[in-house]
Amino acid sequence: MKKNFLIILLAFLQAIPLNAQKVGLVLSGGGAHGIIHVGVIKALEENNIPIDYVAGTSMGAIVGSLYAMGYSPDEMIELIKSEDFNRWSTGESDPKYTYYYRNADPKPIFADLSFNLKKLDSLSFNPTFLPTNLVSPHQMNFAFVELFSQANAAAKGDFNKLFVPFRCVASDVYNKKAVILKQGSLGDAVRASMTFPLMYKPIMIDNHLLFDGGIFNNFPVDVMKKDFNPGYMIGSAVAKNPPRPEENNIVNQIQNMVVNKSDYSIPEGEGITFNFDASAYPMFDFSKVDELVKIGYEETLRHIDEIKEQVHRKITLEELKQRRDSFKNLFPQLQFRKVYISGVDSLQKIYVENAFHKGNETFTNEDFKEAYFKLVSDAKILEVLPHAIYDDSTGLFDLKLKVKTENQLKLMLGGNISSSTSNEVYIGLSYQNLQEFAQTAYIDGQFGRIYNGMGLGTRIDVPTTKDWYLQTNFVLHRFDYFQGRSYFYDDNRTSFFNQLEFYGKFLVGFPLTMKGRMEFGVGYGNLTDNYHQKTGDNLSRNNYNLGSVFWKTQVCTLNDLMYPTNGYNYLASLQMVGGASAYYPASNSSDEIQKSKDLWVQAKASYDKYFFLKKQIMLGVYAEAAYTNRDFVENYYATIIQAPAFRPTPHSKTIFNPEFCANQYLAVGLKPLYMITNQLHFRTELYWFIPYQPIYQTSSLQAAYRNPLYSTRFMGESTLVFNFKFASAGLFLNHYSGGSSQWNFGLNIGFLLFNKKFLE
């Protein structure tokens, strides 16, 4: 009996350390290299190695938090490969949630200085060309609510109650210390831990501005030991301390000044460390998911027997799945009821609340997503910081929004640098005020060789159950067109002809789904065309006083103003135009002035869309049609100048080519694109222009129609494009099948955007 008791006691004592042995997983930061951690976890799970605790920094915090919420390795891989992950890691907007209705008309702006006028005794400015972060926070702000809120509610804000207890590290750069995050908002904790300086915007937690945890502790072994004290630790380190600073390497110098050295090892006898060298992969390239996972997976398998010798506990994949399912069953449905808004005054709250359901009516996450992106697409809103707070009594989430508005006064700078005559300087001043109504006013000017213009406008957004806005625009501008070409030197030639316009338009706009808008309006303009009918002649002149009633619809999700690679743009317009004209021939004889009146209809429609064909290859398709029943005016040049023109490329907008003008035409195009990197691509644009009845010049210098479909024209352009965050650079070569300058090449850096002409 005594012997049996001793045997049982001995077996019990031996079992205690086995049953009590816990395994802690420590994950370092390292940008996209941290995807390797997923491979480590995958190999451990497939070999029944338990993971009882997880601690991580930066990308290690992202992977660690996903695991702590119950994500399996395969689910993590699927998420990291998804378009959603790509968008919140790069800040790129989702075309589906582009609220085009709130967008102002595009301007050639690449930098601005904003001034805060709310306090008259303090004038502050914020230059956007010196950003605090390169990646827009809008996508991430929403994604972290969607990703973490349900798990956070299930754990009641206690990271010990997640599927696996979790810790992450952030950095308080003001107090020069690491901050260990163990409770509160899981999304905020991970967001703080991964906020790499200059790349992502820092976040405020408990009145402390927190940055990437890798600054002070990039491999939190000490946190794991202090908070959990596991029997065995497994470390995955994908980062290294920065090398000794070099004289000509400023990035390396900043790393040494900012980042403290970390010990990327686990003490002998306490666990195992995998030190990975992923230097062959860019730190912020998240596209090599399978390759990086494979590195972590295979290296872990090489040491799996060593781990099994130290970790005797096992947990099968079936048991893990049951535990995951049990935890995920605690997730409440992501539905919202109340909205609490801070950071704005009472009138501004009305404007913000209008985007959301009000009262006790519940709304879904999809409703929240649509309303959120509706707000952040507004130029008067700087940022919206959302938090979802779970209410046990209702089983719903309350939505807390901290809204930051843009400064009221903004100085805008932009333009274009060109190898030819299309150099432009843009300067503008805008004022915006957000109260119950959103009000914007601007004045701007563009100055260059081919285009000079001034604009003045206002817009008032009226938030009701059906949003709408009132807009007024006044434009005074002049286009100068030249024959021939000039590269890399000043061009002192007189223009072939010029157009001077002064007009005003008043319109009412309405949203057309999230991505479009519809406008109705009236306008009045004075237009003057000065041109040479023959070489050596004095200038002839046509003057028009015109009124118009118009309708315009546009749906747009294009991702770039100059060289889009994604999205679509549909445009349709119809206008009735009428008025008086006067013709002043080159003889300047007052008795030869001819006056007339006319009334006509003009319509235009275009279709521009980009399709993904396969990796790195996109295809754009384009179609445009124009129609007017306007009569010929006094001569060929007066007629062709006023005829609708086909100008689909940046270069074609800077020249006048009568071969691509007609009163009725159809044009189609194909645009194959090869994406070399996310910022660099090569594009070719091929267009076929089909005028219904080409306009030609008779021997008496009059305009006349040729037979229907008498001839067609071709336009082609190839461009190597580099997209900066604030502008684009394009090196191009093009060809026109007709016109005085059939071959052209050049370089543009910036934006070639002009005010619309009165009849456009």
Side-chain angles (χ1 to χ4, degrees), residues 327-342:
F327 181 71
K328 290 181 178 180
N329 285 337
L330 300 176
F331 285 16
Q333 191 172 0
L334 195 56
Q335 286 194 317
F336 304 91
R337 189 184 65 162
K338 296 181 180 178
V339 179
Y340 299 94
I341 299 168
S342 63

Side-chain angles (χ1 to χ4, degrees), residues 125-302:
F125 69 94
N126 176 36
T128 57
F129 50 81
L130 295 175
T132 58
N133 51 282
L134 298 177
V135 175
S136 168
H138 298 325
Q139 297 290 328
M140 195 177 296
N141 287 346
F142 171 80
F144 275 44
V145 170
E146 185 178 48
L147 191 62
F148 293 106
S149 295
Q150 291 166 287
N152 203 66
K156 301 185 185 302
D158 183 351
F159 300 174
N160 287 329
K161 296 180 180 179
L162 292 166
F163 168 68
V164 172
F166 171 69
R167 296 289 184 272
C168 66
V169 182
S171 297
D172 183 344
V173 294
Y174 178 76
N175 292 303
K176 302 291 190 296
K177 67 177 184 179
V179 176
I180 314 305
L181 298 163
K182 59 182 71 176
Q183 61 184 7
S185 169
L186 181 60
D188 282 359
V190 176
R191 172 76 178 275
S193 182
M194 55 149 292
T195 303
F196 192 85
L198 293 182
M199 182 63 68
Y200 301 112
K201 190 171 184 178
I203 190 169
M204 190 79 71
I205 297 179
D206 296 333
N207 293 321
H208 294 283
L209 193 64
L210 301 184
F211 288 85
D212 194 296
I215 295 174
F216 294 115
N217 187 351
N218 205 31
F219 194 52
V221 174
D222 56 336
V223 176
M224 175 64 71
K225 292 173 66 173
K226 181 180 178 182
D227 281 27
F228 301 124
N229 193 28
Y232 188 80
M233 289 183 287
I234 300 172
S236 178
V238 297
K240 296 180 179 179
N241 289 312
R244 184 184 295 274
E246 299 176 359
E247 183 178 357
N248 297 320
N249 191 333
I250 188 170
V251 174
N252 180 240
Q253 294 169 19
I254 293 173
Q255 284 179 322
N256 276 271
M257 285 187 288
V258 174
V259 178
N260 286 11
K261 291 185 177 181
S262 295
D263 181 4
Y264 293 102
S265 66
I266 291 174
E268 188 175 352
E270 298 183 24
I272 186 172
T273 306
F274 300 117
N275 291 105
F276 297 98
D277 182 5
S279 56
Y281 299 89
M283 181 173 288
F284 294 103
D285 182 1
F286 290 87
S287 65
K288 311 296 184 183
V289 178
D290 291 334
E291 296 173 36
L292 291 167
V293 169
K294 184 179 179 182
I295 291 172
Y297 182 80
E298 292 182 345
E299 180 65 17
T300 305
L301 288 183
R302 279 192 282 270

Side-chain angles (χ1 to χ4, degrees), residues 418-423 449 482-493 745:
S418 173
S419 59
S420 59
T421 57
S422 53
N423 293 288
R449 183 72 172 130
F482 299 85
Q483 287 182 318
R485 55 179 178 248
S486 170
Y487 301 112
F488 305 107
Y489 57 85
D490 291 334
D491 188 347
N492 296 315
R493 296 167 297 169
F745 73 93

Side-chain angles (χ1 to χ4, degrees), residues 705-732:
Y705 282 131
R706 294 193 185 278
N707 293 330
L709 304 178
Y710 175 84
S711 64
T712 61
R713 292 296 183 185
F714 169 81
M715 180 191 306
E717 182 166 296
S718 291
T719 313
L720 183 65
V721 179
F722 185 84
N723 282 317
F724 301 94
K725 287 291 183 181
F726 54 88
S728 299
L731 182 65
F732 69 87

